[in-house]
């Protein structure tokens, strides 16, 4: 088990951090969020192209650099800290993983090089409940929440066919496809509702791709946890700095125990959160057998932890934390959005109960 | 196979052969015999310098051994304070003679150590202690009282802090001594704790004479010495977390819930999952700290994080356990009261070695670097300070 970053991973984190600080500072993040654009196209181009981040975990034969999930986690930590709006999670994590895991060589060859290069933004529409229905290669039904669903250039859909839950690729211009952008609490992460009405789709992988889909979701849970860790850490750093500057009653507010103790608890949360994320990322690469439990553990812990810290971070800023101009609400909203992105905390804990054998 | 893997394999084999059926709460003679065997096998003082009886190996071997020993029951309780706190303090700031005289017998379990810090009026604020040591010719003469001293009854030696100058502010007039617990002026009285047992004691000092070469560190430099001990303490309690047997662990509690048919209940499952998440998160944090130590990063005040989280985990475990066992948790036939015992034990972890509030202060001040609270007592001579429990003055 490896729970600390090696020198190369630290370097990767540092270069992504510097890049984001330079090209996507908070002012720019706000501009994008308020513009209604899903993300900053120029930042994405450089992230994917210059830095090669979109293809980090894509094998070399498909145009990627063949690194591991632990490296993807390192990148997401930085993206989460900077709140960078980007299709990284939808495209480089969800879509790339499900394509790879589907075992469909041809589909991988067709789509992955574009995804790795960032020129093709893909997403994966996973219904939480009953999904669209596939009759042959035609889809009917809807998926209520799809990350980057309105702007993606390729939509992968999990749909129920005769042979089980399969994976299908839908082109953005396909007939019978309606994409309705949703208004999201978290302005930095766009979602859309997708409806399929006799929409032609191409099946990818076996008729029953249940296993590939489940594994993709586990990997996504780990990746999301890393992103949550980055946000959590940034919130804590920021509020600790503020508590050292803000004076009330003739003292720095950080010297009051009501504040100090809350910050100490937040630090304890961070220490455990980082440990859980490193473990889950390690399991994703090195110990597939442990992944299901590790992934559910990661979401069970991080979902609550990040929201709690983001909430206290906002409250400890006092009134200024409630103003639109302050960044606190952006983290608060991202934390809540992330907590529900892959299902409610309750559902992750139910999964964990099952995976720990408590139901058997 | 690396040398470390090989080291771990040998350690596990040794533990399998020697630490199998020993009760953790063995009698003192059994415990001492085990400690001697452990030492002779080379697993006591793994990182301690060889010239004083240690093995002179690295933190890596130490960690490997601890991991191997996670599930072994070892009756090392009586030696914990010596190994975790007193020994490391002597190694850091003891004199050459002190190290040569005391370290090896400590490692072999021949001599048991206790930590004589707390007093009735000085717990969290240990620097306000009132036990006095006065220089008299060729010796220091000690008078006063200590309290809540773990293993005081079994101990052969203690690390004592006493006031040697009441005219300077409280932190500057303290000295640390090695005291012989068999000295006729030392009286040890067992104190019953809330578990009904007597783990700690009160200790009285009446004209106990201590030779000057038993001063640890500098005369009047005892606060720095005590801080050294306390740092070791938190790391050793925190890092020992995963080794502690937990009758209220997730594993034990899910078994209990299963055998009572309670796993059908979604609320019970949810509590169990919550317990699992806390337990695993703390285990993983301890494992990460270990890996950092191996990589040369010292945990420092982050030991307080592990100690605080462990205290909270034990309380939470006891809560979950009582939900699962219901009335059986609090009224039971002899020998079945694991949960009642856990309920009784849990507060001890949140007090001993510093309370949860003090841990949070330490994390805030030393890990996060937050501004300290105003300290009203830093510059006042000790003799002018109020200490301990004061009766409120009329009109005050
Ligand atoms: C199981 C056990 C084993 C022990 N073993 C030993 C031992 O071997 N050797 C030894 O020397 N001592 C030992 N102790 C003593 C222990 O270190 C003290 O009990 C502890 O430090 C608390 O001190 P106190 O009891 O005087 O409480 P107090 O300091 O009087 O605290 C009372 C309350 O006030 C709070 N408080 C105090 N100061 C602050 C502050 N600055 N900010 C916020 N809150 C504060 C505390 O958290 C607590 O809730 C042991 C205690 C226990 C329970």
């Amino acid at each position: 088990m490896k729970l600390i970053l090696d020198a190369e991973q630290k370097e990767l984190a540092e270069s992504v951090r510097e890049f984001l600080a330079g090209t996507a500072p908070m002012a720019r993040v706000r501009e994008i969020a308020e513009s209604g654009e899903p993300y900053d196209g120029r930042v994405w181009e450089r992230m994917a192209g210059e830095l090669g981040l979109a293809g980090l975990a894509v094998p070399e034969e498909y145009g990627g650099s063949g690194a591991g999930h632990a490296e993807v986690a390192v990148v997401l930590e930085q993206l989460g800290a900077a709140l960078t709006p980007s299709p990284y999670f939808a495209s480089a994590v969800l879509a790339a993983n499900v394509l790879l895991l589907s075992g469909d060589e041809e589909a991988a060859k067709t789509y992955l090089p574009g995804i790795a290069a960032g020129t093709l933004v893909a997403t994966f529409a996973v219904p939480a409940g009953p999904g669209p229905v596939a009759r042959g290669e035609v889809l009917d039904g809807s998926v209520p929440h799809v990350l980057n669903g309105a702007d993606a250039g390729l939509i992968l859909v999990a749909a129920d066919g005769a042979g089980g839950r399969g994976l299908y690729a839908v082109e953005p211009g396909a007939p019978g496809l309606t994409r309705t952008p949703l208004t999201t609490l978290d302005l930095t992460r766009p979602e859309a509702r997708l409806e399929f009405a006799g929409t032609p789709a191409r099946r990818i992988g076996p008729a029953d791709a249940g296993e590939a889909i489940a594994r993709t979701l586990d990997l996504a849970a780990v990746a999301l946890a890393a992103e949550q860790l980055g946000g959590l850490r940034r919130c804590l750093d920021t509020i600790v700095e503020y508590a050292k500057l803000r004076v009330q009653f003739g003292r720095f507010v950080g010297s009051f125990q009501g504040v100090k103790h809350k910050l100490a608890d937040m630090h304890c949360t961070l220490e455990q959160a980082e440990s859980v994320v490193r473990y889950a990322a390690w399991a994703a690469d090195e110990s597939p057998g442990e992944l299901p439990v590790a992934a559910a553990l990661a979401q069970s812990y991080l979902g609550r932890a990040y929201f709690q810290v983001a909430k206290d971070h906002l409250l400890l800023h006092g009134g200024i934390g409630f103003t639109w101009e302050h960044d606190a609400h952006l983290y608060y909203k991202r934390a809540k959005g992330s907590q529900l992105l892959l299902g409610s905390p309750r559902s992750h804990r139910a999964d964990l109960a099952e995976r720990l054998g408590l139901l058997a | 196979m690396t040398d470390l893997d090989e080291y771990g394999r040998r350690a596990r084999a040794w533990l399998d052969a020697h630490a199998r059926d020993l009760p953790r709460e063995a009698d003192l003679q059994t415990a001492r015999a085990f400690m001697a065997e452990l030492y002779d096998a080379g697993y006591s003082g793994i990182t301690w310098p060889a010239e004083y009886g240690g093995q002179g190996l690295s933190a890596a071997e130490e960690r490997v051994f601890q991991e191997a020993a996670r599930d072994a029951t070892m009756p090392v309780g009586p030696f914990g304070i010596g190994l975790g706190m007193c020994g490391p303090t002597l190694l850091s700031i003891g004199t050459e003679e002190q190290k040569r005289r005391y370290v090896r017998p400590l490692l072999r379990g021949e001599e048991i150590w206790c930590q004589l810090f707390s007093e009735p009026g000085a717990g969290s604020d240990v620097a306000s202690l009132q036990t006095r040591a006065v220089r008299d010719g060729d010796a220091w003469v000690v008078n006063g009282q200590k309290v809540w001293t773990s293993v005081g009854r079994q101990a052969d030696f203690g690390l004592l802090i006493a006031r040697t100058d009441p005219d300077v502010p409280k932190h500057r007039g303290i000295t640390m001594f090695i005291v012989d617990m068999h000295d006729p002026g030392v009286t040890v009285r067992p104190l019953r704790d809330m578990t009904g047992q007597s783990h700690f004691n009160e200790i009285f000092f009446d004209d106990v004479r201590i030779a000057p070469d038993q001063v640890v560190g500098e005369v009047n430099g005892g606060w720095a010495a005590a801080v050294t001990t306390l740092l070791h303490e938190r790391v050793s309690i925190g890092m020992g977390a995963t080794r502690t047997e937990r009758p209220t662990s997730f594993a034990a509690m899910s078994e209990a819930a299963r055998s009572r048919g309670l796993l059908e209940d979604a609320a019970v499952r949810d509590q169990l999952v919550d317990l699992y998440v806390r337990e695993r998160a703390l285990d993983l944090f301890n494992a990460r700290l270990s890996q950092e130590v191996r990589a040369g990063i010292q945990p420092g005040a982050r030991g307080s994080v592990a100690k605080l989280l462990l205290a909270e985990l034990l309380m939470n475990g006891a809560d979950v356990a009582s939900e699962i066992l219901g009335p059986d948790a609090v009224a039971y036939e002899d020998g079945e009261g694991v949960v009642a015992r856990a309920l009784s034990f849990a507060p001890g972890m949140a007090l001993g070695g510093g309370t949860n509030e003090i841990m949070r202060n330490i994390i805030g001040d030393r890990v996060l670097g937050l501004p300290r609270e105003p300290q009203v007592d830093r510059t006042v001579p000790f003799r002018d300070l109020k200490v301990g429990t004061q009766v409120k003055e009329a009109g005050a």
Side-chain angles (χ1 to χ4, degrees):
Chain A
M1 194 178 3
K2 181 169 161 287
L3 301 172
I4 52 181
L5 297 182
D6 59 32
E8 266 174 58
Q9 290 167 332
K10 281 190 197 146
E11 220 169 275
L12 174 64
E14 195 42 37
S15 64
V16 176
R17 198 192 62 74
E18 268 172 29
F19 170 79
L20 293 176
T23 58
M26 227 30 170
R28 185 78 191 123
V29 168
R30 281 175 172 270
E31 241 171 62
I32 293 295
E34 291 178 46
S35 74
E37 288 290 305
Y39 53 87
D40 185 332
R42 285 203 31 242
V43 172
W44 174 244
E45 221 171 82
R46 292 186 56 197
M47 261 172 74
E50 239 169 81
L51 276 72
L53 300 183
L56 203 55
V58 172
E60 284 166 23
E61 50 182 314
Y62 303 124
S65 48
H69 298 291
E71 281 71 28
V72 169
V74 166
V75 172
L76 275 163
E77 218 177 305
Q78 297 305 322
L79 288 169
L83 289 187
T84 317
S86 88
Y88 191 86
F89 194 82
S91 195
V93 176
L94 281 170
N97 280 332
V98 82
L99 274 172
L100 274 168
L101 290 165
S102 73
D104 190 322
E105 184 109 1
E106 210 196 307
K109 265 195 224 146
T110 313
Y111 300 121
L112 279 174
I115 290 176
T119 48
L120 173 65
V121 167
T123 189
F124 178 30
V126 226
V133 176
R135 262 176 299 100
E137 298 211 320
V138 175
L139 303 185
D140 284 294
S142 66
V143 185
H145 298 281
V146 182
L147 261 190
N148 293 91
D151 56 275
L154 168 70
I155 298 152
L156 302 167
V157 193
D160 301 314
R165 182 160 277 194
L167 183 66
Y168 297 83
V170 174
E171 300 293 331
L177 169 66
T178 317
R179 316 205 259 180
T180 314
L182 303 174
T183 306
T184 46
L185 175 74
D186 174 5
L187 295 177
T188 62
R189 187 127 74 184
E191 287 185 20
R193 190 159 67 93
L194 301 191
E195 283 160 295
F196 308 92
T199 307
R202 164 178 173 193
R203 201 185 83 205
I204 290 173
D208 182 357
E211 234 168 84
I213 293 168
R215 209 172 151 69
T216 299
L217 291 179
D218 282 347
L219 292 172
V222 176
L224 179 63
E227 195 199 275
Q228 289 167 312
L229 171 65
L232 190 164
R233 191 195 309 279
R234 178 65 57 86
C235 284
L236 181 57
D237 286 349
T238 310
I239 190 59
V240 165
E241 279 320 302
Y242 187 68
K244 292 179 187 176
L245 299 174
R246 175 77 173 167
V247 174
Q248 294 289 291
F249 301 100
R251 281 165 62 177
F252 291 109
V253 295
S255 73
F256 292 111
Q257 284 194 353
V259 173
K260 182 175 291 185
H261 287 191
K262 205 165 246 178
L263 294 174
D265 284 335
M266 288 156 83
H267 176 77
C268 291
T269 301
L270 169 69
E271 292 278 22
Q272 294 200 136
E274 175 166 352
S275 311
V276 166
V277 166
R278 299 274 182 263
Y279 162 66
W282 168 84
D285 285 321
E286 304 292 337
S287 186
E290 283 175 77
L291 179 61
V293 167
L297 168 70
Q299 274 312 302
S300 296
Y301 193 88
L302 266 296
R304 280 181 173 184
Y306 182 19
F307 184 64
Q308 179 72 43
V309 167
K311 183 178 73 188
D312 285 336
H313 158 261
L314 187 145
L315 294 175
L316 289 173
H317 271 98
I320 198 174
F322 197 67
T323 56
W324 183 263
E325 284 69 30
H326 199 277
D327 295 335
H329 72 98
L330 300 176
Y331 285 91
Y332 178 89
K333 291 166 182 171
R334 169 64 73 87
K336 184 46 84 181
S338 304
Q339 191 181 35
L340 301 173
L341 189 64
L342 299 174
S344 67
R346 187 176 48 76
S347 69
H348 293 297
R349 291 147 62 81
D351 284 348
L352 187 50
E354 190 187 333
R355 292 167 189 192
L356 290 170
L358 294 180
L359 296 189
Chain B
M1 197 185 258
T2 69
D3 290 353
L4 266 186
D5 293 334
E6 173 59 19
Y7 184 86
R9 197 193 55 73
R10 269 187 292 122
R12 267 188 302 280
W14 188 88
L15 286 161
D16 277 346
H18 294 84
R20 257 285 137 82
D21 302 315
L22 288 171
R24 188 173 288 275
E25 304 280 332
D27 61 87
L28 199 55
Q29 210 184 333
T30 312
R32 280 183 192 270
F34 174 79
M35 200 61 207
E37 275 186 58
L38 187 75
Y39 178 87
D40 295 340
Y43 298 123
S44 175
I46 293 170
T47 60
W48 298 25
E51 69 248 61
Y52 307 120
Q55 299 300 322
L57 298 173
S58 73
E61 279 85 5
E62 172 92 53
R63 291 295 150 199
V64 168
F65 179 77
Q66 281 187 4
E67 271 154 40
R70 261 184 69 149
D71 301 322
T73 52
M74 301 196 289
V76 293
F79 316 104
I81 292 186
L83 293 167
M85 298 149 223
C86 304
T89 304
L90 291 178
L91 287 177
S92 316
I93 54 172
T95 63
E96 186 62 23
E97 290 71 39
Q98 287 167 352
K99 294 182 208 173
R100 293 207 180 279
R101 161 65 188 85
Y102 294 112
V103 172
R104 187 187 307 265
L106 183 158
L107 282 176
R108 259 195 121 240
E110 289 162 15
E111 291 172 349
I112 293 176
W113 284 70
C114 67
Q115 177 189 8
L116 301 156
F117 283 19
S118 302
E119 297 184 5
S124 304
D125 181 16
V126 70
S128 67
L129 58 90
Q130 303 188 62
T131 293
R132 293 282 304 271
V134 178
R135 190 66 195 253
D136 174 30
D138 61 347
W140 290 92
V141 179
V142 179
N143 281 285
Q145 181 194 350
K146 295 285 170 180
V147 72
W148 307 308
T149 312
S150 306
V151 300
R153 221 157 45 259
Q154 294 81 11
D156 302 289
F157 294 97
L159 275 189
L160 167 77
I161 47 179
R163 183 152 318 273
T164 39
D165 186 352
D167 296 321
V168 293
K170 63 180 185 181
H171 293 95
R172 287 196 242 136
I174 296 171
T175 303
M176 181 181 278
F177 299 93
I178 296 169
V179 61
D180 183 340
M181 297 296 286
H182 304 299
D183 190 292
V186 179
T187 310
V188 181
R189 282 223 312 253
L191 275 175
R192 233 148 93 111
D193 61 41
M194 65 179 277
T195 68
Q197 292 173 322
S198 297
H199 292 286
F200 52 35
N201 308 268
E202 53 185 348
I203 320 266
F204 298 88
F205 298 92
D206 295 299
D207 290 333
V208 174
R209 295 182 75 81
I210 300 180
D213 63 2
Q214 302 302 298
V215 168
V216 181
E218 305 288 320
V219 170
N220 290 333
W223 183 247
V227 168
T228 309
T229 312
L230 292 174
L231 263 181
H232 287 300
E233 172 166 33
R234 269 134 217 172
V235 174
S236 97
I237 298 179
M239 302 273 257
T242 47
R243 276 189 298 160
T244 322
E245 255 171 65
R246 285 194 295 243
T248 55
S249 67
F250 166 76
M253 282 307 119
S254 39
E255 221 16 74
R258 184 184 309 278
S259 69
R260 285 161 184 259
L262 289 175
L263 287 180
E264 315 275 296
D265 183 336
V268 169
R269 287 201 306 268
D270 205 50
Q271 282 189 315
L272 283 170
V273 166
D274 189 46
L275 180 60
Y276 173 85
V277 170
R278 286 167 183 256
E279 193 174 299
R280 199 74 184 109
L282 176 56
D283 277 355
L284 287 166
F285 172 53
N286 277 311
R288 184 163 64 90
L289 269 194
S290 304
Q291 294 188 12
E292 288 184 10
V293 171
R294 264 190 235 183
I297 306 163
Q298 288 310 314
R302 283 162 76 217
S304 292
V305 173
K307 152 84 167 76
L308 173 60
L309 288 166
L310 177 62
E312 296 201 321
L313 176 65
L314 294 188
M315 303 256 201
N316 175 255
D319 266 358
V320 173
S322 60
E323 287 263 11
I324 287 169
L325 299 198
D328 295 347
V330 290
Y332 47 94
E333 288 183 36
D334 259 4
E336 288 177 6
V338 282
V339 171
R341 270 203 297 284
L343 280 163
S344 269
F345 260 120
M349 187 55 73
L351 295 169
T355 65
N356 287 0
E357 285 73 31
I358 296 299
M359 291 306 115
R360 290 190 172 97
N361 282 350
I362 292 173
I363 295 164
D365 293 346
R366 302 240 295 275
V367 180
L368 300 178
L370 292 167
R372 295 189 175 238
E373 290 185 86
Q375 289 176 314
V376 291
D377 56 356
R378 279 263 156 188
T379 50
V380 185
F382 175 74
R383 62 167 79 253
D384 299 333
L385 275 183
K386 286 189 174 150
V387 296
T389 315
Q390 305 269 333
V391 180
K392 203 173 164 207
E393 286 160 37

